[in-house]
Amino acid sequence: MDWIFIASHVGDYVGGAWVTLRFGLYGVLCSLALGMLCCLARYFRVPVLRQIAVGYIELARNTPLLVQLFFLYAGLPRVGIRFSAEACAVIGLTFLGGAYMAEAFRSGLEAVDKAQVEAGACIGLTRRQNIRYVIFPQALATAVPALFANVIFLIKETSVFSVLAMMDLMNVADTLRTSGGRTVEVLFMLVAAYLIILLPVSVIATMVERRLRYAGFGDQHSV
Amino acid sequence: MQDLGISILFKGINFQRLMGGLWVTLRLALITIGLSCLFGLLFGVLMLSKKRVAKVFCRVWLEIVRFMPQLVLLYLVYFGFARLFGWDLDGETSAVMVFTFWGTAEMGDLIRGALTSIPLHQTESAAALGLKKGQVYLYVLIPQTLRRYVLIPQTLRRLLPQAINLSTRIIKTTALVKMINVTEVLKVGQQIIGQFYRQPDAAFWVYFVIFLLYFLVCWPFSLLAKQLEKRWA
Amino acid sequence: MADTILRVNGIHKSFDGTGVLRGVSLEIREGEVVVIVGPSGCGKSTLLRCINGLETIDKGEIYLRDEKISGRTKDLHLVRQKIGMVFQSYDLFPHMKVMDNLLLGPTKALGKQKQEMEREALSMLERVGLKEKAHVFPRTLSGGQKQRVALVRAMLMHPEILLLDEITAALDPEMVSEVLNVVIDLARGGMTMAIVTHEMRFAEAVADRVLFLEEGVVLEEGTPEKFFHAPTTERARRFLQSFTYASKRDKAEVQPKNNLED
């Protein structure tokens, strides 16, 4: 292992990691928002929007991100719709992630016991209050593990951003590999970089899940 | 009037070429799914082993595939193995290796989950049923009944929808072989676009159709998984 | 004579074409405790659920004081604020501590001051012997404790009437009396209640009037003395006979008393 080569290219990887992390984060945040919207449209049975949400979720979950990005980045400009590579990255990741987040929220909502909804109604809460104080907190707590799994999944998926000519981790590694030929070192650093990004996410996920479990969230059985 | 770009897809054998490209990834996915089921069964049983070494081994394997993007794993095998071990693997072989490595761990985890989810009282009630009919049944019939009529269907009911979902993910993920120089559907699409560079909206239609093709392949599986989940819930 | 709190007027309710309630009428006056008994599936739980609008009725009317509350789709929560209900499965909110469970209704639905309500909640908890449990999560409580908290939660809304739907059915036998004693205490305090129960000893002890429901109709109605000791219908007699064993067992357990401490 050529440690001098590694040391001299740490900077490149930090730059790449920053791109991966930043656009990953944008994508995750937008996905959460879009996922919540879709979930709400379905939960409140909003006409039209609800059908659109269902169709979108099926479309996004059943196509690869790589193909979605090709369509966005190389296909759409030919009919006059042009986005920058960065915009494509965020749009693509949001398109994919929104559907996964929506499903996570939905399964959380479905897990809320019907009796809880009735109990909320019986102490005279309005539907809106019931949703805010009784239903959503429980649904969210149940959805947390799935939401975190999606965060990790989405950050991993950013590895295909290199087809947009973005200098993310994957592209940094690829460029160094083709120019320098130090394949082993280049790949070693790539693996290390993804671990450094994703391990903290996983640790945070475990901590949050444990806290919720300690607080008694998410266990609705015979409470 | 100029032709719509979509018409180039039906010129000559273009559509067949595209389907041929799709088949390349689908074939990889099918091989991967088959191998993953096979090795996943071993992996799942190994995860339930009482031996600490086996448990740690499985845990580490599972964490690797959970943390590493599949594309990174592909690079490791396709480019890295040539350097490290001198194995000059072609793209498709690398892909099958990587995706099976990934699928085995995920499938194994699903199988472990399904096996451990069987409630104890199932076994107990089956045993209680046997006791009434006498000792002979207890020693002869019950172990077999458990295995054949109680445990396996219960496990399958939980496992099948999840396994189908994993298979859909594997099909989607095989699109990544584009990145290690395998001529699959996106590559074929690029070739077609290259030939028809005079047609300005060719790229739009080609990528749109590829998008649809993937959807048409994956969607039925998703629907099936959802149906099974609903029916067996 | 006391005011009529609740008036149920010939209500019908069917699920998938099966008539569960077939013309049930009922009047409850202020401070009165009405116990509804009957075999399972006779419609007694459905009756309670119809009263506070958890189920819509097909025919008939329900009045709370002089206000018609049936057939209403708007502002149902205003009606429910005046009707307390406690279920068999407690249904405390698992993500809230006991105190927050108690305060949610009064502060959010009724818009009352938090400090003031907290004081009242604590004194109510003390009354049911659970003062020290105010700041724990429900999952750490026993079934009997949960059900007592659920009773306090309903009472803190100061409802006009309290509906209790088999509140001891999910409890272990040794916890039944600690919950029923709270109810007896509430009855003594003049709370208006409609109670569905399978505990016949308790029913006899607490009821001012007993309603025997079978197949969706009221077969018999009267004082507990009359119903339990001289039922007029053959059906009621047979129903009560099936409880002979159970009531012997219960005798030792439900002892009405004033002190509710653990």
Side-chain angles (χ1 to χ4, degrees), chain C residues 98-125 152-158:
Chain C
V98 167
M99 183 51 82
D100 298 320
N101 261 284
L102 298 180
L103 294 184
L104 184 65
T107 57
K108 301 300 174 196
L110 300 178
K112 285 192 182 169
Q113 273 286 303
K114 199 177 168 196
Q115 268 103 353
E116 197 182 311
M117 283 317 296
E118 212 168 320
R119 225 172 306 127
E120 194 184 338
L122 271 178
S123 82
M124 287 279 270
L125 279 179
V152 173
R153 182 172 72 178
M155 285 303 294
L156 276 174
M157 297 291 291
H158 297 293

PDB file of all heavy atoms in Angstrom, chain C residues 98-125 152-158:
ATOM      1  N   VAL C  98     -48.300   9.421  31.987  1.00  0.00           N
ATOM      2  CA  VAL C  98     -49.643   9.393  32.560  1.00  0.00           C
ATOM      3  C   VAL C  98     -50.234  10.799  32.632  1.00  0.00           C
ATOM      4  O   VAL C  98     -51.359  11.040  32.192  1.00  0.00           O
ATOM      5  CB  VAL C  98     -49.609   8.738  33.960  1.00  0.00           C
ATOM      6  CG1 VAL C  98     -50.902   8.990  34.706  1.00  0.00           C
ATOM      7  CG2 VAL C  98     -49.364   7.233  33.812  1.00  0.00           C
ATOM      8  N   MET C  99     -49.446  11.758  33.174  1.00  0.00           N
ATOM      9  CA  MET C  99     -49.965  13.107  33.338  1.00  0.00           C
ATOM     10  C   MET C  99     -50.357  13.722  31.987  1.00  0.00           C
ATOM     11  O   MET C  99     -51.397  14.371  31.866  1.00  0.00           O
ATOM     12  CB  MET C  99     -48.917  13.970  34.048  1.00  0.00           C
ATOM     13  CG  MET C  99     -49.357  15.381  34.352  1.00  0.00           C
ATOM     14  SD  MET C  99     -50.960  15.502  35.209  1.00  0.00           S
ATOM     15  CE  MET C  99     -50.484  15.204  36.902  1.00  0.00           C
ATOM     16  N   ASP C 100     -49.530  13.498  30.965  1.00  0.00           N
ATOM     17  CA  ASP C 100     -49.856  14.069  29.647  1.00  0.00           C
ATOM     18  C   ASP C 100     -51.090  13.404  29.048  1.00  0.00           C
ATOM     19  O   ASP C 100     -51.876  14.044  28.346  1.00  0.00           O
ATOM     20  CB  ASP C 100     -48.663  13.919  28.699  1.00  0.00           C
ATOM     21  CG  ASP C 100     -47.451  14.674  29.219  1.00  0.00           C
ATOM     22  OD1 ASP C 100     -47.649  15.793  29.729  1.00  0.00           O
ATOM     23  OD2 ASP C 100     -46.334  14.145  29.141  1.00  0.00           O
ATOM     24  N   ASN C 101     -51.259  12.120  29.339  1.00  0.00           N
ATOM     25  CA  ASN C 101     -52.483  11.439  28.934  1.00  0.00           C
ATOM     26  C   ASN C 101     -53.701  12.127  29.537  1.00  0.00           C
ATOM     27  O   ASN C 101     -54.715  12.322  28.882  1.00  0.00           O
ATOM     28  CB  ASN C 101     -52.448   9.987  29.425  1.00  0.00           C
ATOM     29  CG  ASN C 101     -52.037   9.018  28.349  1.00  0.00           C
ATOM     30  OD1 ASN C 101     -52.819   8.687  27.473  1.00  0.00           O
ATOM     31  ND2 ASN C 101     -50.780   8.589  28.379  1.00  0.00           N
ATOM     32  N   LEU C 102     -53.556  12.495  30.804  1.00  0.00           N
ATOM     33  CA  LEU C 102     -54.683  13.085  31.517  1.00  0.00           C
ATOM     34  C   LEU C 102     -54.970  14.505  31.044  1.00  0.00           C
ATOM     35  O   LEU C 102     -56.116  14.936  30.978  1.00  0.00           O
ATOM     36  CB  LEU C 102     -54.399  13.096  33.017  1.00  0.00           C
ATOM     37  CG  LEU C 102     -54.197  11.732  33.679  1.00  0.00           C
ATOM     38  CD1 LEU C 102     -53.934  11.900  35.163  1.00  0.00           C
ATOM     39  CD2 LEU C 102     -55.405  10.836  33.452  1.00  0.00           C
ATOM     40  N   LEU C 103     -53.893  15.241  30.712  1.00  0.00           N
ATOM     41  CA  LEU C 103     -54.069  16.668  30.411  1.00  0.00           C
ATOM     42  C   LEU C 103     -54.464  16.936  28.965  1.00  0.00           C
ATOM     43  O   LEU C 103     -54.956  18.017  28.651  1.00  0.00           O
ATOM     44  CB  LEU C 103     -52.786  17.433  30.740  1.00  0.00           C
ATOM     45  CG  LEU C 103     -52.407  17.483  32.224  1.00  0.00           C
ATOM     46  CD1 LEU C 103     -51.178  18.349  32.431  1.00  0.00           C
ATOM     47  CD2 LEU C 103     -53.563  18.012  33.058  1.00  0.00           C
ATOM     48  N   LEU C 104     -54.221  15.972  28.093  1.00  0.00           N
ATOM     49  CA  LEU C 104     -54.438  16.227  26.660  1.00  0.00           C
ATOM     50  C   LEU C 104     -55.852  16.733  26.374  1.00  0.00           C
ATOM     51  O   LEU C 104     -56.038  17.769  25.736  1.00  0.00           O
ATOM     52  CB  LEU C 104     -54.146  14.961  25.847  1.00  0.00           C
ATOM     53  CG  LEU C 104     -54.241  15.132  24.325  1.00  0.00           C
ATOM     54  CD1 LEU C 104     -53.178  16.091  23.820  1.00  0.00           C
ATOM     55  CD2 LEU C 104     -54.101  13.793  23.610  1.00  0.00           C
ATOM     56  N   GLY C 105     -56.846  16.006  26.870  1.00  0.00           N
ATOM     57  CA  GLY C 105     -58.234  16.406  26.618  1.00  0.00           C
ATOM     58  C   GLY C 105     -58.573  17.765  27.223  1.00  0.00           C
ATOM     59  O   GLY C 105     -58.976  18.681  26.508  1.00  0.00           O
ATOM     60  N   PRO C 106     -58.388  17.920  28.545  1.00  0.00           N
ATOM     61  CA  PRO C 106     -58.749  19.198  29.169  1.00  0.00           C
ATOM     62  C   PRO C 106     -58.026  20.404  28.552  1.00  0.00           C
ATOM     63  O   PRO C 106     -58.649  21.440  28.343  1.00  0.00           O
ATOM     64  CB  PRO C 106     -58.331  18.996  30.627  1.00  0.00           C
ATOM     65  CG  PRO C 106     -58.418  17.535  30.839  1.00  0.00           C
ATOM     66  CD  PRO C 106     -58.024  16.909  29.534  1.00  0.00           C
ATOM     67  N   THR C 107     -56.717  20.283  28.281  1.00  0.00           N
ATOM     68  CA  THR C 107     -55.999  21.465  27.795  1.00  0.00           C
ATOM     69  C   THR C 107     -56.222  21.697  26.305  1.00  0.00           C
ATOM     70  O   THR C 107     -56.407  22.831  25.880  1.00  0.00           O
ATOM     71  CB  THR C 107     -54.483  21.359  28.064  1.00  0.00           C
ATOM     72  OG1 THR C 107     -53.987  20.171  27.454  1.00  0.00           O
ATOM     73  CG2 THR C 107     -54.192  21.344  29.545  1.00  0.00           C
ATOM     74  N   LYS C 108     -56.219  20.644  25.498  1.00  0.00           N
ATOM     75  CA  LYS C 108     -56.340  20.855  24.048  1.00  0.00           C
ATOM     76  C   LYS C 108     -57.796  20.940  23.597  1.00  0.00           C
ATOM     77  O   LYS C 108     -58.158  21.841  22.848  1.00  0.00           O
ATOM     78  CB  LYS C 108     -55.627  19.736  23.280  1.00  0.00           C
ATOM     79  CG  LYS C 108     -54.149  19.608  23.580  1.00  0.00           C
ATOM     80  CD  LYS C 108     -53.374  20.868  23.256  1.00  0.00           C
ATOM     81  CE  LYS C 108     -51.918  20.734  23.710  1.00  0.00           C
ATOM     82  NZ  LYS C 108     -51.229  22.035  23.758  1.00  0.00           N
ATOM     83  N   ALA C 109     -58.607  19.983  24.053  1.00  0.00           N
ATOM     84  CA  ALA C 109     -59.993  19.983  23.583  1.00  0.00           C
ATOM     85  C   ALA C 109     -60.821  21.061  24.288  1.00  0.00           C
ATOM     86  O   ALA C 109     -61.611  21.753  23.661  1.00  0.00           O
ATOM     87  CB  ALA C 109     -60.617  18.608  23.800  1.00  0.00           C
ATOM     88  N   LEU C 110     -60.610  21.219  25.599  1.00  0.00           N
ATOM     89  CA  LEU C 110     -61.421  22.189  26.344  1.00  0.00           C
ATOM     90  C   LEU C 110     -60.718  23.532  26.515  1.00  0.00           C
ATOM     91  O   LEU C 110     -61.330  24.517  26.913  1.00  0.00           O
ATOM     92  CB  LEU C 110     -61.774  21.636  27.726  1.00  0.00           C
ATOM     93  CG  LEU C 110     -62.564  20.327  27.758  1.00  0.00           C
ATOM     94  CD1 LEU C 110     -62.800  19.891  29.191  1.00  0.00           C
ATOM     95  CD2 LEU C 110     -63.898  20.486  27.024  1.00  0.00           C
ATOM     96  N   GLY C 111     -59.399  23.552  26.246  1.00  0.00           N
ATOM     97  CA  GLY C 111     -58.657  24.808  26.335  1.00  0.00           C
ATOM     98  C   GLY C 111     -58.515  25.335  27.751  1.00  0.00           C
ATOM     99  O   GLY C 111     -58.451  26.531  27.985  1.00  0.00           O
ATOM    100  N   LYS C 112     -58.415  24.406  28.710  1.00  0.00           N
ATOM    101  CA  LYS C 112     -58.284  24.853  30.103  1.00  0.00           C
ATOM    102  C   LYS C 112     -56.830  25.123  30.451  1.00  0.00           C
ATOM    103  O   LYS C 112     -55.916  24.653  29.788  1.00  0.00           O
ATOM    104  CB  LYS C 112     -58.842  23.777  31.042  1.00  0.00           C
ATOM    105  CG  LYS C 112     -60.345  23.720  31.062  1.00  0.00           C
ATOM    106  CD  LYS C 112     -60.803  22.854  32.213  1.00  0.00           C
ATOM    107  CE  LYS C 112     -62.309  22.728  32.230  1.00  0.00           C
ATOM    108  NZ  LYS C 112     -62.754  21.703  33.178  1.00  0.00           N
ATOM    109  N   GLN C 113     -56.657  25.869  31.546  1.00  0.00           N
ATOM    110  CA  GLN C 113     -55.312  26.185  32.046  1.00  0.00           C
ATOM    111  C   GLN C 113     -54.577  24.925  32.481  1.00  0.00           C
ATOM    112  O   GLN C 113     -55.140  24.075  33.168  1.00  0.00           O
ATOM    113  CB  GLN C 113     -55.437  27.111  33.260  1.00  0.00           C
ATOM    114  CG  GLN C 113     -55.512  28.570  32.893  1.00  0.00           C
ATOM    115  CD  GLN C 113     -54.170  29.098  32.465  1.00  0.00           C
ATOM    116  OE1 GLN C 113     -53.220  29.019  33.216  1.00  0.00           O
ATOM    117  NE2 GLN C 113     -54.082  29.621  31.249  1.00  0.00           N
ATOM    118  N   LYS C 114     -53.296  24.828  32.116  1.00  0.00           N
ATOM    119  CA  LYS C 114     -52.565  23.608  32.391  1.00  0.00           C
ATOM    120  C   LYS C 114     -52.298  23.397  33.887  1.00  0.00           C
ATOM    121  O   LYS C 114     -52.550  22.324  34.418  1.00  0.00           O
ATOM    122  CB  LYS C 114     -51.245  23.612  31.619  1.00  0.00           C
ATOM    123  CG  LYS C 114     -50.667  22.217  31.489  1.00  0.00           C
ATOM    124  CD  LYS C 114     -49.398  22.184  30.679  1.00  0.00           C
ATOM    125  CE  LYS C 114     -48.740  20.823  30.868  1.00  0.00           C
ATOM    126  NZ  LYS C 114     -47.348  20.819  30.430  1.00  0.00           N
ATOM    127  N   GLN C 115     -51.800  24.476  34.549  1.00  0.00           N
ATOM    128  CA  GLN C 115     -51.446  24.352  35.976  1.00  0.00           C
ATOM    129  C   GLN C 115     -52.640  23.889  36.803  1.00  0.00           C
ATOM    130  O   GLN C 115     -52.545  22.967  37.608  1.00  0.00           O
ATOM    131  CB  GLN C 115     -50.954  25.692  36.535  1.00  0.00           C
ATOM    132  CG  GLN C 115     -49.460  25.853  36.441  1.00  0.00           C
ATOM    133  CD  GLN C 115     -49.087  26.777  35.300  1.00  0.00           C
ATOM    134  OE1 GLN C 115     -49.953  27.185  34.523  1.00  0.00           O
ATOM    135  NE2 GLN C 115     -47.819  27.113  35.181  1.00  0.00           N
ATOM    136  N   GLU C 116     -53.730  24.552  36.566  1.00  0.00           N
ATOM    137  CA  GLU C 116     -54.947  24.266  37.306  1.00  0.00           C
ATOM    138  C   GLU C 116     -55.351  22.803  37.123  1.00  0.00           C
ATOM    139  O   GLU C 116     -55.668  22.091  38.071  1.00  0.00           O
ATOM    140  CB  GLU C 116     -56.034  25.187  36.761  1.00  0.00           C
ATOM    141  CG  GLU C 116     -57.251  25.359  37.613  1.00  0.00           C
ATOM    142  CD  GLU C 116     -58.240  26.268  36.897  1.00  0.00           C
ATOM    143  OE1 GLU C 116     -57.824  27.354  36.425  1.00  0.00           O
ATOM    144  OE2 GLU C 116     -59.392  25.864  36.754  1.00  0.00           O
ATOM    145  N   MET C 117     -55.315  22.349  35.840  1.00  0.00           N
ATOM    146  CA  MET C 117     -55.720  20.983  35.535  1.00  0.00           C
ATOM    147  C   MET C 117     -54.759  19.979  36.149  1.00  0.00           C
ATOM    148  O   MET C 117     -55.154  18.892  36.553  1.00  0.00           O
ATOM    149  CB  MET C 117     -55.780  20.757  34.018  1.00  0.00           C
ATOM    150  CG  MET C 117     -56.990  21.337  33.333  1.00  0.00           C
ATOM    151  SD  MET C 117     -58.510  21.062  34.229  1.00  0.00           S
ATOM    152  CE  MET C 117     -58.629  19.277  34.190  1.00  0.00           C
ATOM    153  N   GLU C 118     -53.478  20.375  36.181  1.00  0.00           N
ATOM    154  CA  GLU C 118     -52.486  19.462  36.719  1.00  0.00           C
ATOM    155  C   GLU C 118     -52.788  19.181  38.191  1.00  0.00           C
ATOM    156  O   GLU C 118     -52.685  18.050  38.661  1.00  0.00           O
ATOM    157  CB  GLU C 118     -51.090  20.069  36.557  1.00  0.00           C
ATOM    158  CG  GLU C 118     -50.038  19.006  36.356  1.00  0.00           C
ATOM    159  CD  GLU C 118     -48.721  19.593  35.897  1.00  0.00           C
ATOM    160  OE1 GLU C 118     -48.743  20.526  35.063  1.00  0.00           O
ATOM    161  OE2 GLU C 118     -47.681  19.124  36.375  1.00  0.00           O
ATOM    162  N   ARG C 119     -53.189  20.244  38.913  1.00  0.00           N
ATOM    163  CA  ARG C 119     -53.523  20.084  40.326  1.00  0.00           C
ATOM    164  C   ARG C 119     -54.717  19.129  40.462  1.00  0.00           C
ATOM    165  O   ARG C 119     -54.708  18.205  41.262  1.00  0.00           O
ATOM    166  CB  ARG C 119     -53.841  21.446  40.938  1.00  0.00           C
ATOM    167  CG  ARG C 119     -53.167  21.634  42.285  1.00  0.00           C
ATOM    168  CD  ARG C 119     -53.315  23.066  42.806  1.00  0.00           C
ATOM    169  NE  ARG C 119     -52.852  24.066  41.861  1.00  0.00           N
ATOM    170  CZ  ARG C 119     -53.583  25.115  41.460  1.00  0.00           C
ATOM    171  NH1 ARG C 119     -54.820  25.264  41.900  1.00  0.00           N
ATOM    172  NH2 ARG C 119     -53.093  26.002  40.619  1.00  0.00           N
ATOM    173  N   GLU C 120     -55.711  19.362  39.626  1.00  0.00           N
ATOM    174  CA  GLU C 120     -56.901  18.512  39.700  1.00  0.00           C
ATOM    175  C   GLU C 120     -56.570  17.064  39.347  1.00  0.00           C
ATOM    176  O   GLU C 120     -57.034  16.120  39.994  1.00  0.00           O
ATOM    177  CB  GLU C 120     -57.983  19.054  38.757  1.00  0.00           C
ATOM    178  CG  GLU C 120     -59.341  18.435  39.046  1.00  0.00           C
ATOM    179  CD  GLU C 120     -60.401  18.875  38.061  1.00  0.00           C
ATOM    180  OE1 GLU C 120     -60.222  19.941  37.442  1.00  0.00           O
ATOM    181  OE2 GLU C 120     -61.382  18.134  37.906  1.00  0.00           O
ATOM    182  N   ALA C 121     -55.737  16.910  38.318  1.00  0.00           N
ATOM    183  CA  ALA C 121     -55.357  15.559  37.880  1.00  0.00           C
ATOM    184  C   ALA C 121     -54.646  14.821  39.000  1.00  0.00           C
ATOM    185  O   ALA C 121     -54.903  13.639  39.247  1.00  0.00           O
ATOM    186  CB  ALA C 121     -54.468  15.644  36.643  1.00  0.00           C
ATOM    187  N   LEU C 122     -53.748  15.537  39.698  1.00  0.00           N
ATOM    188  CA  LEU C 122     -53.006  14.899  40.786  1.00  0.00           C
ATOM    189  C   LEU C 122     -53.939  14.454  41.907  1.00  0.00           C
ATOM    190  O   LEU C 122     -53.789  13.355  42.451  1.00  0.00           O
ATOM    191  CB  LEU C 122     -51.957  15.867  41.337  1.00  0.00           C
ATOM    192  CG  LEU C 122     -50.593  15.804  40.650  1.00  0.00           C
ATOM    193  CD1 LEU C 122     -49.657  16.840  41.237  1.00  0.00           C
ATOM    194  CD2 LEU C 122     -49.993  14.402  40.749  1.00  0.00           C
ATOM    195  N   SER C 123     -54.910  15.301  42.221  1.00  0.00           N
ATOM    196  CA  SER C 123     -55.789  14.923  43.323  1.00  0.00           C
ATOM    197  C   SER C 123     -56.677  13.749  42.912  1.00  0.00           C
ATOM    198  O   SER C 123     -56.998  12.877  43.730  1.00  0.00           O
ATOM    199  CB  SER C 123     -56.614  16.128  43.795  1.00  0.00           C
ATOM    200  OG  SER C 123     -57.724  16.306  42.950  1.00  0.00           O
ATOM    201  N   MET C 124     -57.048  13.697  41.606  1.00  0.00           N
ATOM    202  CA  MET C 124     -57.825  12.551  41.118  1.00  0.00           C
ATOM    203  C   MET C 124     -56.984  11.283  41.160  1.00  0.00           C
ATOM    204  O   MET C 124     -57.469  10.207  41.527  1.00  0.00           O
ATOM    205  CB  MET C 124     -58.285  12.795  39.681  1.00  0.00           C
ATOM    206  CG  MET C 124     -59.392  13.813  39.570  1.00  0.00           C
ATOM    207  SD  MET C 124     -60.966  13.048  39.926  1.00  0.00           S
ATOM    208  CE  MET C 124     -61.426  12.531  38.295  1.00  0.00           C
ATOM    209  N   LEU C 125     -55.714  11.418  40.754  1.00  0.00           N
ATOM    210  CA  LEU C 125     -54.824  10.250  40.786  1.00  0.00           C
ATOM    211  C   LEU C 125     -54.685   9.748  42.215  1.00  0.00           C
ATOM    212  O   LEU C 125     -54.647   8.541  42.467  1.00  0.00           O
ATOM    213  CB  LEU C 125     -53.447  10.616  40.219  1.00  0.00           C
ATOM    214  CG  LEU C 125     -53.300  10.638  38.704  1.00  0.00           C
ATOM    215  CD1 LEU C 125     -51.886  11.040  38.317  1.00  0.00           C
ATOM    216  CD2 LEU C 125     -53.625   9.274  38.102  1.00  0.00           C
ATOM    217  N   VAL C 152     -59.662   8.080  35.165  1.00  0.00           N
ATOM    218  CA  VAL C 152     -59.355   9.461  35.548  1.00  0.00           C
ATOM    219  C   VAL C 152     -59.318  10.353  34.306  1.00  0.00           C
ATOM    220  O   VAL C 152     -59.834  11.472  34.314  1.00  0.00           O
ATOM    221  CB  VAL C 152     -58.006   9.529  36.300  1.00  0.00           C
ATOM    222  CG1 VAL C 152     -57.606  10.984  36.534  1.00  0.00           C
ATOM    223  CG2 VAL C 152     -58.088   8.787  37.621  1.00  0.00           C
ATOM    224  N   ARG C 153     -58.741   9.826  33.223  1.00  0.00           N
ATOM    225  CA  ARG C 153     -58.661  10.616  31.992  1.00  0.00           C
ATOM    226  C   ARG C 153     -60.053  11.031  31.520  1.00  0.00           C
ATOM    227  O   ARG C 153     -60.275  12.169  31.102  1.00  0.00           O
ATOM    228  CB  ARG C 153     -57.949   9.803  30.892  1.00  0.00           C
ATOM    229  CG  ARG C 153     -57.782  10.577  29.595  1.00  0.00           C
ATOM    230  CD  ARG C 153     -56.906   9.840  28.607  1.00  0.00           C
ATOM    231  NE  ARG C 153     -57.593   8.668  28.031  1.00  0.00           N
ATOM    232  CZ  ARG C 153     -57.055   7.876  27.113  1.00  0.00           C
ATOM    233  NH1 ARG C 153     -55.816   8.100  26.677  1.00  0.00           N
ATOM    234  NH2 ARG C 153     -57.717   6.853  26.645  1.00  0.00           N
ATOM    235  N   ALA C 154     -60.989  10.089  31.591  1.00  0.00           N
ATOM    236  CA  ALA C 154     -62.350  10.404  31.162  1.00  0.00           C
ATOM    237  C   ALA C 154     -63.010  11.378  32.132  1.00  0.00           C
ATOM    238  O   ALA C 154     -63.694  12.315  31.727  1.00  0.00           O
ATOM    239  CB  ALA C 154     -63.171   9.122  31.051  1.00  0.00           C
ATOM    240  N   MET C 155     -62.765  11.198  33.438  1.00  0.00           N
ATOM    241  CA  MET C 155     -63.423  12.030  34.453  1.00  0.00           C
ATOM    242  C   MET C 155     -62.950  13.474  34.428  1.00  0.00           C
ATOM    243  O   MET C 155     -63.709  14.392  34.746  1.00  0.00           O
ATOM    244  CB  MET C 155     -63.180  11.433  35.848  1.00  0.00           C
ATOM    245  CG  MET C 155     -64.001  10.205  36.157  1.00  0.00           C
ATOM    246  SD  MET C 155     -65.756  10.525  35.991  1.00  0.00           S
ATOM    247  CE  MET C 155     -65.989  11.705  37.327  1.00  0.00           C
ATOM    248  N   LEU C 156     -61.674  13.668  34.059  1.00  0.00           N
ATOM    249  CA  LEU C 156     -61.120  15.022  34.062  1.00  0.00           C
ATOM    250  C   LEU C 156     -61.793  15.926  33.035  1.00  0.00           C
ATOM    251  O   LEU C 156     -61.643  17.139  33.062  1.00  0.00           O
ATOM    252  CB  LEU C 156     -59.609  14.979  33.803  1.00  0.00           C
ATOM    253  CG  LEU C 156     -58.751  14.729  35.045  1.00  0.00           C
ATOM    254  CD1 LEU C 156     -57.299  14.566  34.641  1.00  0.00           C
ATOM    255  CD2 LEU C 156     -58.897  15.857  36.052  1.00  0.00           C
ATOM    256  N   MET C 157     -62.515  15.335  32.103  1.00  0.00           N
ATOM    257  CA  MET C 157     -63.252  16.135  31.126  1.00  0.00           C
ATOM    258  C   MET C 157     -64.571  16.640  31.731  1.00  0.00           C
ATOM    259  O   MET C 157     -65.310  17.361  31.089  1.00  0.00           O
ATOM    260  CB  MET C 157     -63.561  15.310  29.868  1.00  0.00           C
ATOM    261  CG  MET C 157     -62.339  14.833  29.092  1.00  0.00           C
ATOM    262  SD  MET C 157     -61.466  16.174  28.305  1.00  0.00           S
ATOM    263  CE  MET C 157     -62.640  16.654  27.031  1.00  0.00           C
ATOM    264  N   HIS C 158     -64.858  16.227  32.963  1.00  0.00           N
ATOM    265  CA  HIS C 158     -66.133  16.545  33.624  1.00  0.00           C
ATOM    266  C   HIS C 158     -67.314  16.259  32.712  1.00  0.00           C
ATOM    267  O   HIS C 158     -68.102  17.148  32.397  1.00  0.00           O
ATOM    268  CB  HIS C 158     -66.149  18.007  34.078  1.00  0.00           C
ATOM    269  CG  HIS C 158     -65.104  18.285  35.102  1.00  0.00           C
ATOM    270  ND1 HIS C 158     -65.143  17.757  36.363  1.00  0.00           N
ATOM    271  CD2 HIS C 158     -63.965  19.003  35.035  1.00  0.00           C
ATOM    272  CE1 HIS C 158     -64.079  18.153  37.042  1.00  0.00           C
ATOM    273  NE2 HIS C 158     -63.351  18.901  36.254  1.00  0.00           N
TER     274      HIS C 158
END
